Amino acid sequence: MKILYAASEVAPFVKTGGLGDVAGSLPQALAAAGHEVAVVCPLYSKIEDKWRKKMKLVQKLYVQLAWRSQYCGILRLRQKGVTYYFIDNEYYFARKMVYGEYDDAERFAFFSKAVLEMLPELDFQPDIINCNDWQTALIPVYYSINYAYRPWYEKIKTVYTIHNIQYQGQFGRDIVSYVFGIDDYHFDNGFLEQDGCVNLMKAAILCAHRVTTVSETYAEEIQTPAYGYRLDSILRWNRGKLYGIINGLDTKAFDPLKDKSQFVNFSVRSLERKKMNRAGLLELCGLDANAETPVIGMVTRFADQKGLDLVAAVLEDILRLDLRLIVLGTGDPAYEWMFRDAMGRHPDKLHAHIGFDAKLANQIYGGSDLFLMPSLFEPCGLAQMISMRYGTLPIVRETGGLKDTVFPYNQYTGEGNGFSFTYYNAHDMLHVIEEAVQLFKTNKQAWKAMQVEGMTTDFSWAASAQKYIEVYEGVINE
Ligand code: ADP
């Protein structure tokens, strides 16, 4: 197959979050499976010179956006079996920020239109265009309105991937004809409209040939009012073309045997060496603990999505248990102060580092016994997979990707790779923490079996890429 992957950020060139990681890894895994894969992304001024030096200008064209005619340079770079195209227009992309500019709707409309316009110029006729989140939602929209009936384009199929349903691309209605150059009719008939405003994610769900999201459970959850952010009915209606595919992990980057930030490298064959990371982490954080006292780590954005209100509700009860809690995070000041304050009162039990620190994050993954991630919702979640790779057992709420990757300890069979609770309830979480602490103290054998289970699970992209291939083949062959 010929696959074009369109995304508003792609690691390692430009990344603000999970989408960048997926767009960096999935295309390479698809290429490794034998497909011809190209990725397209805007050429932001943030993209460093070391990458620009490797790029070659391969085409120049003008893209029509309503009454505007905008320059569009196309630069190419080849790496790891994938061809990367960068869309160059300094008016739109030579900005300080990747997102959050006053004219984001116009910037990404230009990008989406440019992606469709560049294909014949490059003589690249993909079987599939996989678009992602609201920024590229206009690709299937433009495709269905303006391109699907042109002979050169008619065989192309579009796949639309939702990484987080909270951000839908909502704008005022005046933008439809004036900026997008789309007839108002498509707003008035409800295609582009939701709750009185333009909603690009809704339109892409309606017109893409397939819709995917980043875990099976999240695919179910977003069809309910509690998780669907008002698009649940649209998703229920389109559930026949909706698939959940869990993200993979960059298993080379997160490998306890190679990771330079570890105090001592270890693997599943030398698990006893993990103790030295634990000792190193405790010393680094100014804490002291004997071998029977578990260390619980948390590495997270301080946002409500991550279940911090549960932690807030029972923090004193957690700290009454025989454990050490090490927290790394930043975000909502209310939680930053909550942890600073609690650390002042319990300096021997809690260490909170407020900030973003990739090295300390890996030291927490490597040195902790347990990892707490009680999310309210979690489309996929990487942190729980990273912690399992490092032999650290996750405690999670059963939602989204957490439910699909963490299987709770079964005291009768000994099976499992972590601990979980079902309802978004602080005392349910507290109870599971108590159980985990107890098991750590009393059953080393069961503990080790779960560590081995987590460390030997295949979290690589290969399996997930295969599922994307099945979705692509399904739509091509229908
Ligand atoms: P989300 O993308 O919703 O924040 P994920 O679990 O998918 O959650 O990914 C979060 C990633 O960001 C993990 O790799 C985690 O280690 C990292 N991370 C989050 N907060 C911090 C922080 N304060 N310092 C370092 N790394 C962090």
Side-chain angles (χ1 to χ4, degrees):
M1 279 181 286
K2 286 189 188 173
I3 300 157
L4 178 67
Y5 200 84
S8 52
E9 53 182 274
V10 180
F13 311 106
V14 51
K15 176 184 147 177
T16 71
L19 169 61
D21 284 320
V22 176
S25 315
L26 172 60
Q28 290 176 11
L30 294 168
H35 300 280
E36 186 180 336
V37 187
V39 176
V40 59
C41 162
L43 184 68
Y44 303 102
S45 43
K46 255 190 171 226
I47 296 180
E48 290 172 17
D49 271 346
K50 70 170 182 187
W51 300 117
R52 287 172 187 260
K53 279 188 198 128
K54 295 185 182 169
M55 296 178 193
K56 188 176 160 212
L57 181 67
V58 288
Q59 267 299 349
K60 292 182 202 167
L61 55 142
Y62 279 82
V63 172
Q64 204 69 33
L65 201 61
W67 48 269
R68 306 160 190 80
S69 179
Q70 301 286 31
Y71 168 80
C72 169
I74 299 166
L75 289 88
R76 188 180 65 201
L77 179 158
R78 288 215 172 91
Q79 187 165 278
K80 296 190 178 158
V82 175
T83 305
Y84 294 90
Y85 293 111
F86 294 89
I87 302 282
D88 177 31
N89 175 305
E90 298 228 326
Y91 169 64
Y92 288 129
F93 301 125
R95 308 275 181 97
K96 277 208 191 97
M97 292 198 285
V98 173
Y99 313 121
E101 297 281 346
Y102 70 96
D103 57 348
D104 275 3
E106 183 177 330
R107 296 168 71 218
F108 292 104
F110 165 77
F111 176 62
S112 300
K113 193 85 183 281
V115 169
L116 288 160
E117 288 289 320
M118 75 173 192
L119 297 172
E121 305 292 329
L122 296 169
D123 199 21
F124 181 63
Q125 200 165 26
D127 301 297
I128 294 286
I129 305 179
N130 193 335
C131 319
N132 296 279
D133 279 350
W134 76 262
Q135 291 87 350
T136 46
L138 274 170
I139 294 176
V141 172
Y142 280 131
Y143 179 82
S144 68
I145 296 175
N146 299 328
Y147 295 85
Y149 308 104
R150 298 192 204 168
W152 195 89
Y153 289 90
E154 66 184 7
K155 289 215 173 71
I156 297 176
K157 304 287 182 191
T158 55
V159 176
Y160 180 64
T161 304
I162 300 168
H163 296 262
N164 190 335
I165 204 165
Q166 238 183 331
Y167 310 104
Q168 303 177 354
Q170 288 158 301
F171 304 99
R173 66 162 299 163
D174 42 349
I175 217 163
V176 175
S177 58
Y178 188 74
V179 174
F180 298 161
I182 294 176
D183 196 307
D184 281 325
Y185 160 80
H186 294 288
F187 180 86
D188 295 331
N189 73 5
F191 173 35
L192 278 165
E193 186 265 349
Q194 172 79 18
D195 300 326
C197 63
V198 171
N199 189 313
L200 297 180
M201 185 174 272
K202 174 196 174 178
I205 293 168
L206 289 176
C207 68
H209 293 99
R210 293 288 186 275
V211 178
T212 72
T213 186
V214 291
S215 69
E216 276 180 33
T217 296
Y218 196 58
E220 293 298 323
E221 287 174 341
I222 55 178
Q223 297 178 47
T224 68
Y227 294 86
Y229 285 86
R230 296 194 58 75
L231 291 184
D232 48 294
S233 65
I234 301 296
L235 286 157
R236 285 198 298 280
W237 178 27
N238 286 277
R239 52 145 70 82
K241 63 177 184 186
L242 174 64
Y243 295 80
I245 304 176
I246 193 94
N247 288 336
L249 190 66
D250 184 343
T251 44
K252 286 204 182 96
F254 294 106
D255 181 354
L257 196 56
K258 306 264 167 62
D259 179 351
K260 292 199 176 69
S261 54
Q262 296 303 298
F263 294 97
V264 177
N265 287 110
F266 64 102
S267 75
V268 69
R269 279 191 216 95
S270 51
L271 199 45
E272 65 292 343
R273 292 165 68 92
K274 185 174 159 72
K275 276 206 278 303
M276 294 180 244
N277 282 306
R278 187 183 128 110
L281 176 67
L282 284 168
E283 195 187 332
L284 189 71
C285 298
L287 295 173
D288 190 20
N290 66 35
E292 302 303 312
T293 303
V295 177
I296 304 186
M298 279 188 89
V299 179
T300 182
R301 287 186 286 126
F302 287 164
D304 283 334
Q305 178 198 333
K306 300 295 178 182
L308 290 153
D309 43 351
L310 298 190
V311 178
V314 292
L315 187 55
E316 290 302 317
D317 302 273
I318 295 173
L319 293 174
R320 223 171 274 139
L321 302 173
D322 181 24
L323 51 75
R324 301 289 177 266
L325 183 61
I326 298 177
V327 181
L328 167 63
T330 175
D332 188 337
Y335 295 124
E336 295 186 349
W337 283 109
M338 173 184 87
F339 283 118
R340 282 193 192 106
D341 170 65
M343 181 163 72
R345 279 178 290 113
H346 304 276
D348 50 340
K349 286 198 139 174
L350 167 68
H351 180 82
H353 184 99
I354 308 302
F356 192 96
D357 185 336
K359 183 175 176 192
L360 179 59
N362 282 16
Q363 287 166 335
I364 293 176
Y365 290 121
S368 304
D369 302 301
L370 285 157
F371 187 83
L372 182 60
M373 194 168 175
S375 304
L376 173 63
F377 69 92
E378 196 63 72
C380 174
L382 285 180
Q384 83 281 14
M385 293 194 250
I386 303 173
S387 74
M388 285 189 267
R389 289 267 299 159
Y390 285 72
T392 300
L393 304 187
I395 301 175
V396 303
R397 190 176 88 83
E398 290 158 18
T399 182
L402 299 176
K403 189 173 176 187
D404 295 348
T405 52
V406 178
F407 305 104
Y409 172 63
N410 180 330
Q411 60 175 317
Y412 303 106
T413 63
E415 286 166 329
N417 57 13
F419 304 89
S420 67
F421 57 101
T422 308
Y423 297 108
Y424 195 70
N425 175 305
H427 284 90
D428 286 3
M429 176 185 76
L430 179 64
H431 180 70
V432 174
I433 294 174
E434 282 168 354
E435 275 185 350
V437 169
Q438 207 48 37
L439 192 76
F440 181 81
K441 288 180 182 300
T442 55
N443 197 338
K444 293 285 176 216
Q445 204 185 345
W447 196 272
K448 186 164 180 209
M450 287 205 281
Q451 286 180 302
V452 172
E453 182 65 32
M455 292 181 87
T456 51
T457 305
D458 180 9
F459 292 118
S460 73
W461 264 104
S464 301
Q466 191 50 42
K467 294 199 175 130
Y468 275 93
I469 290 167
E470 282 161 24
V471 169
Y472 298 161
E473 282 174 347
V475 66
I476 289 171
N477 296 329
E478 79 182 359

